[in-house]
Amino acid sequence: MLALLGFLMVAVFMYLIMSRRLSALVALIVVPVVFALISGFGSTEIGDMMLSGIKKIAPTGIMLLFAILYFGVMMDAGLFDPLIKKIVKIVKGDPLKVIVGTAILATLVALDGDGTTTYMITVTAMLPLYRKLGIRPMILAVVPMLALGVMNMTPWGGPTARVMSVLHMDVSEIFVPVIPAMIGGIAWVMIVACILGKQERKRLGIIEIADEDLQSLAGQEVAATDDTAAMKRPRLIWFNLLLTAALMVGLITSFLPLPTMFMLAFAIALFINYPKMQDQKERIAAHAANALATVSMVFAAGIFTGILTETKMIDAMASTLVSWIPDSLGSHMPLLVALTSMPFTYFMSNDAYYFGIVPILANAAAAYGIDPAEIGRASILGQPLHVLSPLFAAQYLLIGMVGVDYAETQKFILKWAFGTSIVMIVLALLTGVISF
């Protein structure tokens, strides 16, 4: 009965959010409470279950909050503005350099984990060059999507945070081992950019652009990405760069817990870049909506997983699932999860997949002696397909800015995105991040 209720709860949750009957935030809170009541648990027990789940994911919620605020401050201060200018000057009139430069820019901007920001900055910076040279606008839609598909796997990007919250693990267990595979994924994106760039160079040739036109383009594009010039801190560019680099080193070495590192880095960045109290309030307020939307979802997920776990539904579901899996396939679950994560994350929202399906798979794999961390790592390797999903809202902004057709974009990018995931899965197998 518990297994049946658990599967039904997941099914109802997915139906409600995919049919847009309820928002994911509301469904994550309401659906498990209703099913816990149906299962016969009282209000006191349910309250304890909810708090238990919230406590377990609290560090992840704190990390996400301050990561969003930190990268928001870096964007406001203009950390990437010199890079944009440099890219525009370096690529000049060579379509190959323009497209590779697009891939590099999108990859770096995607460090903030937000698709909307990545697409807005990349397209704003590069679209006039594409128009000037006659490069197909479809490429400007495809390359940033491929880059985001890999960079969205960062702990503050969403999917990895969901995995960490539902499996109650930290960055060193889920994200750090996947970094080599991500590097391979980015290398693949650069290869794709080179292939597309050579095609455009063959079609268009190299077009000479006068220096004054280049300067005009560079100045124009950086200005176009400014919310307000008063917020830029060009004199602090090296400080901000070193602070961000130190943060990335800290992420890899884990010399401090990740939430505390982001809190400390954010406090330093905000104080140094915006010492006036009013400016600090404005910068926090500017990114509050994005931070609130993300963090509230994580804490709501704590309620969902807390009830699913404490009612023992997850154990019953795992036992049932194990009974359905042939013994010959049980030991290959990490690879199966990695491969199936591509269609799952394309046809389902990240909330439905990571909060509803992954915990079941992890518990089922545990019955075969497989570390749940392997399932968590495998589940994020399909993200390059997720950013193409009709459920991924940011892509509509990208397609609208570039001016391309949605269906044509899907046809053009699908094979390249599939290749990105396959490259990362192969590297994950070779490096032992997931087992075969």
Side-chain angles (χ1 to χ4, degrees):
M1 179 59 72
L2 277 177
L4 177 61
L5 286 172
F7 284 121
L8 187 58
M9 183 174 88
V10 172
V12 169
F13 167 72
M14 290 191 293
Y15 169 75
L16 289 173
I17 64 174
M18 294 179 73
S19 64
R20 299 188 182 277
R21 296 290 195 278
L22 289 178
S23 68
L25 178 64
V26 174
L28 282 168
I29 299 171
V30 173
V31 172
V33 171
V34 170
F35 274 85
L37 290 170
I38 294 173
S39 302
F41 293 93
S43 58
T44 302
E45 294 172 297
I46 294 173
D48 290 340
M49 294 174 188
M50 296 167 74
L51 280 177
S52 173
I54 291 172
K55 289 176 182 177
K56 288 179 180 177
I57 55 85
T60 299
I62 294 169
M63 182 272 291
L64 279 175
L65 171 62
F66 285 94
I68 292 168
L69 292 175
Y70 176 81
F71 283 108
V73 168
M74 289 296 104
M75 293 291 182
D76 293 338
L79 177 60
F80 294 104
D81 288 355
L83 177 64
I84 294 173
K85 286 184 177 181
K86 191 70 174 177
I87 288 175
V88 171
K89 291 178 180 179
I90 290 174
V91 299
K92 295 187 177 179
D94 187 344
L96 172 59
K97 292 180 180 179
V98 171
I99 295 170
V100 172
T102 302
I104 295 172
L105 177 61
T107 299
L108 291 174
V109 178
L111 275 171
D112 77 338
D114 180 64
T116 301
T117 302
T118 301
Y119 294 155
M120 286 185 67
I121 292 179
T122 305
V123 173
T124 302
M126 304 305 292
L127 185 57
L129 264 178
Y130 276 67
R131 289 174 174 168
K132 180 84 173 177
L133 300 176
I135 300 173
R136 287 178 294 168
M138 178 66 72
I139 295 174
L140 184 54
V142 167
V143 172
M145 290 175 80
L146 292 175
L148 181 66
V150 179
M151 299 307 294
N152 199 40
M153 294 164 60
T154 55
W156 49 89
T160 304
R162 288 172 171 85
V163 171
M164 290 189 298
S165 64
V166 299
L167 298 184
H168 310 304
M169 296 180 178
D170 59 27
V171 172
S172 63
E173 295 173 286
I174 300 295
F175 174 68
V176 173
V178 179
I179 290 176
M182 285 183 65
I183 293 172
I186 290 299
W188 168 257
V189 173
M190 298 304 162
I191 291 171
V192 173
C194 287
I195 292 172
L196 298 176
K198 288 181 178 180
Q199 292 175 355
E200 290 301 281
R201 179 196 274 176
K202 182 178 180 180
R203 186 175 69 89
L204 300 169
I206 298 177
I207 302 169
E208 295 295 330
I209 302 179
D211 289 341
E212 56 268 24
D213 290 338
L214 282 172
Q215 293 174 3
S216 175
L217 276 172
Q220 169 190 345
E221 299 324 314
V222 173
T225 63
D226 290 351
D227 291 327
T228 169
M231 290 297 102
K232 301 299 177 183
R233 297 294 185 264
R235 294 182 180 179
L236 294 173
I237 185 70
W238 286 108
F239 172 81
N240 289 331
L241 183 60
L242 290 173
L243 180 61
T244 303
L247 184 60
M248 294 300 102
V249 170
L251 166 66
I252 296 172
T253 59
S254 299
F255 73 92
L256 282 177
L258 191 57
T260 58
M261 277 196 289
F262 269 111
M263 292 176 73
L264 183 60
F266 168 70
I268 294 171
L270 188 65
F271 175 73
I272 297 298
N273 286 276
Y274 306 104
K276 294 182 180 178
M277 187 70 70
Q278 184 59 35
D279 288 343
Q280 293 179 8
K281 291 180 179 179
E282 289 177 359
R283 290 306 90 210
I284 294 173
H287 304 287
N290 187 26
L292 177 62
T294 303
V295 175
S296 61
M297 194 77 71
V298 171
F299 281 107
I303 293 176
F304 187 94
T305 57
I307 290 178
L308 196 64
T309 302
E310 299 298 324
T311 57
K312 305 302 181 183
M313 287 184 188
I314 191 71
D315 295 330
M317 293 163 72
S319 298
T320 302
L321 192 60
V322 167
S323 67
W324 292 345
I325 300 173
D327 290 338
S328 59
L329 295 179
S331 60
H332 303 302
M333 278 197 68
L335 177 58
L336 293 175
V337 170
L339 293 173
T340 57
S341 69
M342 290 186 278
F344 270 133
T345 56
Y346 181 86
F347 291 108
M348 298 168 61
S349 69
N350 274 341
D351 296 317
Y353 179 61
Y354 290 106
F355 296 143
I357 303 298
V358 170
I360 301 172
L361 296 173
N363 278 270
Y368 294 96
I370 297 171
D371 188 346
E374 283 196 52
I375 301 300
R377 296 170 204 145
S379 69
I380 63 177
L381 296 175
Q383 277 303 300
L385 274 294
H386 175 70
V387 299
L388 317 184
S389 169
L391 303 173
F392 191 72
Q395 69 170 316
Y396 298 113
L397 169 68
L398 172 66
I399 290 169
M401 291 180 70
V402 176
V404 294
D405 179 71
Y406 173 79
E408 291 300 316
T409 304
Q410 292 280 308
K411 293 177 184 177
F412 191 93
I413 193 176
L414 192 59
K415 63 178 180 294
W416 302 118
F418 179 76
T420 308
S421 279
I422 293 299
V423 166
M424 291 196 295
I425 290 171
V426 170
L427 286 173
L429 288 168
L430 293 176
T431 55
V433 172
I434 60 173
S435 58
F436 175 68

